[in-house]
Amino acid sequence: MTTGDAEGTTAGAAEPSATRRPTRSSAVADGFARFCAAVVRRLPFGLSGIVPPTLLGFALINGSTFGFDLLLLTALHGGLGLPVALSVTLAYGCALTLAFVVNRVFNFRSHAPVGRQAVLYVVAVAINYAAFVLGVGAGLTELGVSYQLSRILAGLCEAAFMYSALRWVIFRRRGSA
């Protein structure tokens, strides 16, 4: 049994010892990785050779947490009447925390110390927040675009940035640039 994804072993991932039994979460993570790899293998037009399984995993995980973000945003602003900026910040923080944990465990399957990864993630999130959530999202809202549509458009920009940060910086394999 390997702990790396189809691209190789993730940062700090180690082969389990012969005496250690797989945990339920590692079995679920292995199943998630196999599912993503199987779907990617079936992509048409040569995309199977270009799209890494972690990109599909990221899309599934972050699509779900983004839906959670939108629901929470709508509840906080539309339901409770909190200001848009506060609602976006609270919803965004909750969703990104969930996305970090799920991506770490199930998608990138990292066993590296969480401290350094968490610090790198906070830096990436801060850059992401300033550039896309406030810059694009709030900017579009100020221009008259509905706050939900503004958030969706900002989310598309966030997705490209955050996948890149997760794959090549935060959860990069040892020895990778």
Side-chain angles (χ1 to χ4, degrees):
M1 177 174 94
T2 62
T3 57
D5 60 15
E7 299 161 16
T9 304
T10 56
E15 292 295 322
S17 70
T19 58
R20 192 171 73 184
R21 296 165 75 181
T23 63
R24 180 178 172 165
S25 66
S26 69
V28 174
D30 289 344
F32 182 76
R34 283 192 305 273
F35 169 78
C36 290
V39 170
V40 166
R41 278 193 303 273
R42 290 172 179 78
L43 291 176
F45 312 117
L47 291 173
S48 62
I50 298 169
V51 175
T54 56
L55 180 58
L56 175 62
F58 175 84
L60 294 171
I61 291 166
N62 285 58
S64 298
T65 58
F66 186 68
F68 172 74
D69 183 343
L70 285 176
L71 286 172
L72 192 53
L73 169 61
T74 302
L76 293 171
H77 178 69
L80 297 177
L82 295 178
V84 171
L86 178 60
S87 299
V88 166
T89 301
L90 292 173
Y92 182 74
C94 291
L96 281 178
T97 300
L98 179 60
F100 173 78
V101 171
V102 177
N103 268 300
R104 176 179 156 76
V105 173
F106 293 101
N107 194 30
F108 294 97
R109 301 185 317 168
S110 178
H111 298 284
V114 72
R116 181 175 188 274
Q117 291 176 340
V119 169
L120 290 171
Y121 188 72
V122 168
V123 170
V125 165
I127 293 167
N128 186 50
Y129 183 77
F132 304 116
V133 176
L134 294 180
V136 174
L140 289 173
T141 300
E142 288 299 315
L143 292 173
V145 178
S146 77
Y147 67 92
Q148 290 101 337
L149 180 58
S150 296
R151 189 67 188 93
I152 290 168
L153 295 172
L156 293 172
C157 297
E158 286 181 72
F161 175 79
M162 286 305 296
Y163 177 73
S164 298
L166 288 171
R167 180 172 179 192
W168 289 298
V169 178
I170 299 163
F171 299 124
R172 77 173 182 258
R173 294 175 295 190
R174 289 194 191 270
S176 294

